[in-house]
Amino acid sequence: MDPIVGRMASSLLAFLLLLDGGMFSPSSPPTGLLEKVFQYIDLHQDEFVQTLKEWVAVESDSVQPVLRLRRELLRMMGLAADRLRNLGAHVDLVDTGFQQLPDGQSLPIPPIILAELGNDPKKPTVCFYGHLDVQPARQEDGWVTDPHTLTEVDGKLYGRGTTDNKGPVLAWINAVSTFRALDEDLPVNIKFVIEGMEEAGSLALEELVQKEKAGFFSSVDYIVISDNLWISRRTPALTCGTRGNSYFMVEVKCRDQDFHSGTFGGILNEPMADLVALLGSLVDSSGRILIPGIYDHLAPVTEEEKRTYEAIDLDLEEYRNSSQVKKFLFDTKEELLMHLWRYPSLSIHGIEGAFHEPGAKTVIPGRVIGKFSIRLVPHMNISVVEKQVKQHLDYIFSKRNSSNQMTVSMTLGLHPWVANIRDNQYLAAKRAIKTVFGTEPDMIRDGSTIPIAKIFQGTIRKSVMMLPLGAVDDGEHSQKEKINSCIFGLSLAWTSIFMLFASHRS
């Protein structure tokens, strides 16, 4: 077995042995079964990668509301359900209905997979959450390789969904298949919750969790999410918080058709000029959000929190180089991390209706839609933020005295999540990593949004553990998304060992 994989598998082994109070010694694992599991993983790497290749080939984009892509999503969920059934799981494909779009179009929401393997009351139940939808990806956007063809370059597997989140989902499924292939009984009951709309706000998921609180989720002991990354390539990390997200559309309309700029230029309020002014009023060049009141309700920074930033292993120069950024807005590690994790940020994403193809087209768009989002942090109220944004844009637009129509809508509102790092799972994980690596883990937050964490925490009152499986340079959502082939094998070892040792109780 690869020594890196063995080292990391030992880390998770120690974590699980310590999970319920440290009653088991990590120095005395059942080596016979471990060797069989590791050997099987080593011998079947090509098969695991081939399955990932088949899954990456499915263009399961949930962001673009297009019927063709929704059909791809349905196919992706079917592939995962079939694979789980072949492993002996009881699989329920929960119908979640249709999504009604602002233009009146109706699109199917892909079903949510609820799967179970085992219901032995003497065993604990581990619930794994993952998603199989991806962000949009086209080769002409800047990909060197076809984003839907898994391509290995220098030990890195490139393709949309490799690290976010098809690779980690497959790690769990392949771990189950490893025990099945070895004719070994699963040491835990395992449940899967797999959705296909995470990148679009997890439509219908919260309602399902509410409905199944006393049913599917009633027997769950542990919840595991592996949908994020380390902050360093050297130091292990545990994730203990994520930001929320509110997504906005601001439409400026003169008429439905475009204008010829030679015929109409100079005699009307151009929608694009109005929109550029509106978007330019949202954030300044230092990254500070200009919407009045937006910072009024942030959680205060404590001394304990400040110390966590100081302890994190982050080389700013290395981080900048790996990000291919000339300069960040902040010069210290602590400032950068705080603005990534514990302060809100506003990003402008695009303009719909504007001419963007190569070449010169002398057109005045008659109707344009600007898109932007605000990453939310604890103590920010989504409805208050929505009101603040609308009031600000109404004020800016009124000052332009434009004859156009402006409409602002919030299309997505997701809450931030913060874990209790004194929870047994986190304390055990820190002790385990210290045992194996000789160093404390980075206790990190994630600047992105993982909605299910807050849903689990608030609805079914289960402790959530985030175990990152990807590297800091995996490029989730980018034109270079990848997962290292060694880490993909490593993730199978992690999940196999998790199931093997989660059965230990104090």
Side-chain angles (χ1 to χ4, degrees), residues 89-132:
H90 171 76
V91 178
D92 187 9
L93 282 167
V94 181
D95 183 3
T96 49
F98 290 83
Q99 178 186 13
Q100 301 298 323
L101 302 177
D103 62 1
Q105 185 183 12
S106 178
L107 291 175
I109 301 174
I112 297 173
I113 294 174
L114 298 182
E116 301 181 63
L117 292 104
N119 56 6
D120 188 342
K122 296 179 181 179
K123 297 178 180 179
T125 298
V126 176
C127 181
F128 172 77
Y129 161 82
H131 68 90
L132 296 175

Side-chain angles (χ1 to χ4, degrees), residues 333-344:
K333 174 182 65 175
E334 290 78 13
E335 284 183 306
L336 185 140
L337 292 176
M338 291 177 76
H339 284 85
L340 271 178
W341 297 341
R342 70 103 54 227
Y343 290 133

Side-chain angles (χ1 to χ4, degrees), residues 420-442:
N420 176 12
I421 62 174
R422 294 183 177 85
D423 181 272
N424 285 341
Q425 293 194 74
Y426 282 92
L427 294 176
K430 289 175 69 174
R431 291 169 60 194
I433 290 174
K434 176 71 173 180
T435 299
V436 176
F437 288 92
T439 183
E440 294 287 337
D442 284 337

Side-chain angles (χ1 to χ4, degrees), residues 320-337:
R320 185 187 61 78
N321 289 335
S322 66
S323 304
Q324 298 181 348
V325 175
K326 183 177 181 180
K327 186 179 186 301
F328 289 123
L329 293 176
F330 307 98
D331 297 324
T332 69
K333 174 182 65 175
E334 290 78 13
E335 284 183 306
L336 185 140
L337 292 176

Side-chain angles (χ1 to χ4, degrees), residues 31-244:
T31 54
L33 181 53
L34 285 181
E35 287 298 329
K36 289 169 64 177
V37 169
F38 293 158
Q39 184 178 34
Y40 184 87
I41 291 171
D42 287 342
L43 293 175
H44 293 81
Q45 280 292 306
D46 290 345
E47 296 174 26
F48 297 140
V49 171
Q50 178 59 33
T51 305
L52 180 60
K53 182 176 183 179
E54 293 168 2
W55 282 24
V56 167
V58 181
E59 194 177 351
S60 51
D61 170 4
S62 64
V63 176
Q64 299 182 81
V66 179
L67 183 58
R68 177 185 69 83
L69 296 175
R70 288 301 167 88
R71 288 171 176 160
E72 285 286 273
L73 271 167
L74 294 172
R75 183 161 72 95
M76 185 70 255
M77 303 308 289
L79 287 174
D82 288 344
R83 190 164 182 83
L84 287 166
R85 288 193 188 99
N86 291 338
L87 294 174
H90 171 76
V91 178
D92 187 9
L93 282 167
V94 181
D95 183 3
T96 49
F98 290 83
Q99 178 186 13
Q100 301 298 323
L101 302 177
D103 62 1
Q105 185 183 12
S106 178
L107 291 175
I109 301 174
I112 297 173
I113 294 174
L114 298 182
E116 301 181 63
L117 292 104
N119 56 6
D120 188 342
K122 296 179 181 179
K123 297 178 180 179
T125 298
V126 176
C127 181
F128 172 77
Y129 161 82
H131 68 90
L132 296 175
D133 59 316
V134 298
Q135 285 281 322
R138 303 181 305 167
Q139 190 162 359
E140 53 265 37
D141 293 334
W143 286 77
V144 176
T145 61
D146 180 352
H148 299 292
T149 300
L150 189 70
T151 305
E152 182 168 3
V153 180
D154 297 330
K156 299 176 176 64
L157 302 171
Y158 289 90
R160 179 60 91 217
T162 49
T163 198
D164 185 18
N165 186 229
K166 293 180 180 181
V169 171
L170 267 176
W172 279 84
I173 293 177
N174 288 337
V176 173
S177 72
T178 297
F179 279 94
R180 289 287 191 254
L182 294 173
D183 200 25
E184 293 285 348
D185 184 34
L186 285 171
V188 296
N189 306 313
I190 186 165
K191 295 191 175 189
F192 287 90
V193 181
I194 304 175
E195 66 159 318
M197 291 295 289
E198 191 270 349
E199 302 291 2
S202 294
L203 302 182
L205 180 61
E206 185 169 4
E207 293 83 354
L208 179 63
V209 174
Q210 289 276 5
K211 180 181 177 182
E212 293 291 339
K213 178 180 178 180
F216 181 84
F217 296 105
S218 61
S219 62
V220 169
D221 295 296
Y222 308 111
I223 298 170
V224 181
I225 300 173
S226 297
D227 189 20
N228 48 341
L229 309 173
W230 293 4
I231 190 68
S232 166
R233 287 184 288 183
R234 295 178 298 271
T235 305
L238 295 170
T239 304
C240 56
T242 63
R243 290 193 290 190

